């Protein structure tokens, strides 16, 4: 059997499909179609101004030199339910490098600890509003008011280092 027979008899292995890049004219037409679809979406289903403002301000809070602490445990997902406990606190663990941040979220507030224990200033980020400021003591412990109902993250400043946790909902 010849190679062109295996490819459908045309002599070319990839005539059409995902490997066909098309012509420059096709690319121009795709770009034009994409622009028209964007314009139609902007008119028929625009992004609410408040959502756009929150998104821009949340991005502005991004620290380029900060390390991101990854969520490694969330009791809503990873824990086994306990019988008889109606409203258990949410337990979160974030990790980056040598630093671990354990946080307990309850309707009454946040409580947490940095491991290894160390002092830090902590800011509860919640979009456009100025976040609550917390302080971790020399044992790494901190407490604060309940986080906002919407997405939030923690920004920790320990000496020369800045760490930001992943964003999540309380």
């Amino acid at each position: 059997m010849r190679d062109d027979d295996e490819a459908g008899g045309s002599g070319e292995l990839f005539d059409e499909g995902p490997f066909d890049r098309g012509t420059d004219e096709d690319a121009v037409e795709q770009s034009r179609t994409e622009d028209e679809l964007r314009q139609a979406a902007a008119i028929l289903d625009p992004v609410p101004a408040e959502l756009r403002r929150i998104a821009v301000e949340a991005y502005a809070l991004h620290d380029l030199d900060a390390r991101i602490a990854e969520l490694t445990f969330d009791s809503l997902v990873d824990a086994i339910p306990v019988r008889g406990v109606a409203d258990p606190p949410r337990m979160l663990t974030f990790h980056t490098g040598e630093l671990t941040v354990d946080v307990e979220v309850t309707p009454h507030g946040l409580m947490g600890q940095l491991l290894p224990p160390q002092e830090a200033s902590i800011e509860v980020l919640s979009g456009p509003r100025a976040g609550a400021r917390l302080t971790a003591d020399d044992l790494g412990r901190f407490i604060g008011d309940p986080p906002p109902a919407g997405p939030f993250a923690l920004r920790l400043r320990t000496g020369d280092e800045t760490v930001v946790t992943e964003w999540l909902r309380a």
Side-chain angles (χ1 to χ4, degrees):
M1 183 185 273
R2 295 183 352 231
D3 288 339
D4 60 345
D5 289 339
E6 291 175 13
S10 68
E12 295 288 327
L13 286 177
F14 303 111
D15 284 340
E16 296 178 9
F19 300 104
D20 182 19
R21 295 206 170 113
T23 64
D24 289 339
E25 187 176 303
D26 291 339
V28 169
E29 182 61 30
Q30 284 179 333
S31 178
R32 191 175 312 137
T33 302
E34 184 178 330
D35 289 342
E36 289 173 3
L37 288 172
R38 285 183 195 279
Q39 290 174 1
I43 293 168
L44 299 174
D45 189 19
V47 175
E50 178 68 10
L51 180 59
R52 182 182 303 271
R53 184 181 64 77
I54 289 172
V56 168
E57 290 177 357
Y59 183 77
L61 294 173
H62 186 270
D63 291 312
L64 294 178
D65 61 341
R67 289 191 308 157
I68 302 297
E70 179 182 356
L71 180 65
T72 57
F73 177 82
D74 184 346
S75 62
L76 288 181
V77 178
D78 302 318
I80 298 172
V82 177
R83 187 168 62 166
V85 177
D87 191 18
R90 184 174 182 187
M91 307 300 291
L92 304 166
T93 300
F94 300 94
H95 186 77
T96 181
E98 298 296 318
L99 181 67
T100 299
V101 183
D102 288 321
V103 182
E104 180 178 315
V105 181
T106 71
H108 307 292
L110 291 175
M111 184 170 34
Q113 184 171 19
L114 308 178
L115 298 170
Q118 57 191 294
E119 293 181 359
S121 64
I122 302 168
E123 183 180 1
V124 180
L125 305 174
S126 58
R129 296 177 297 279
R133 301 215 182 261
L134 312 174
T135 302
D137 64 15
D138 58 342
L139 296 176
R141 301 173 299 189
F142 60 92
I143 59 171
D145 293 331
F152 78 98
L154 301 176
R155 179 186 294 139
L156 301 92
R157 292 189 187 348
T158 60
D160 296 335
E161 184 176 45
T162 301
V163 174
V164 178
T165 66
E166 290 184 36
W167 286 79
L168 53 105
R169 282 193 186 273

